[in-house]
Amino acid sequence: MAILIFLCSRVVVVALGLVFSQKYLSSGPDVWSAGPLWYHQLLQWDSEWYFKIVTGGYQYNGDPTVQQNIVFYPLYPMLARGLATISGLTPADALLLVSNVAGLLAIVALFKLVREEFSDQLALATTALLSFFPASVLLSAGYTEPLALLLIVSFFLVLKRKYYLSAALLAGLAVSTRSTGIVLLPVLLWEMWTHRDQTKFLLALLPCVLLATSGIWLFMIYLWSAFGTPFAFADGQAAFHQGTTLATRLIAALKLEPFTRMILIGILGDKRAGLHYCSLS
């Protein structure tokens, strides 16, 4: 039933999204297009950056004031590139397939998580509300949201079973998908502290912390090796966020300014900028 609800929502939400995008979003020759087929319309804006990573890898010229693909986290384009290489799919189709499969699996995992805590009825209601929410079109588009949702929900599923190393691994994968995955680390540590004796906690602490943060420090090692600067992903964000520094964006996030001081640039003018103000990913 949960799968059926999600599939029905794709017909409604994706169809409406495509209709509105064709009506209200520019599609002139200067606008990037992933391909000629109708579903390629699901690859918009930041999807272009992921497409460039899949086709040409990461590029960085050392100038943080110029928008470059170095700011986008690696797991999603890595999976798409691997799928394209193995299957022969085009990069655009591989990006969409990864997103849609991850979106479906995320819904199934979410249904299971809610059902274990509450009931079948509430789990189905949760599935329906999320699936038919208008912004859920992103669960079928070329973005990291579906993969991040799958990893986060899976994290809580295994955490409930006290599989701490598995939870740490999923947290590390989530961090390599979106920066917001880092919030799973304190959750993991709190659960470990409250459900283990102190000796076992201390023994498991280091490996779990290393795994849970591996997505970011492995990416930094790659950046250091390839471009000579491990913080290129953070420095490069300035070009996307009105020249603000990493410290400024972190403080703004802690103060919830992304929610209280949103600048709706995408609606008011610059369609490519979107709701980027003080975003961390």
Side-chain angles (χ1 to χ4, degrees), residues 58 60 62 64 69-74 175 213-237 246 249:
Y58 281 105
Y60 184 61
N69 63 16
I70 202 67
V71 305
F72 294 92
Y73 288 67
V175 175
T213 57
S214 59
I216 190 65
W217 57 258
L218 285 174
F219 189 35
M220 292 172 67
I221 290 174
Y222 162 75
L223 295 175
W224 195 1
S225 173
F227 306 108
T229 170
F231 294 101
F233 75 101
D235 296 337
Q237 290 278 354
L246 175 61
R249 295 192 299 273

Side-chain angles (χ1 to χ4, degrees), residues 48-59 69-70 72-74 77-78 81:
E48 180 180 358
W49 294 108
Y50 292 116
F51 183 87
K52 290 179 178 178
I53 296 171
V54 173
T55 55
Y58 281 105
Q59 305 292 329
N69 63 16
I70 202 67
F72 294 92
Y73 288 67
M78 281 178 58
R81 183 166 183 166

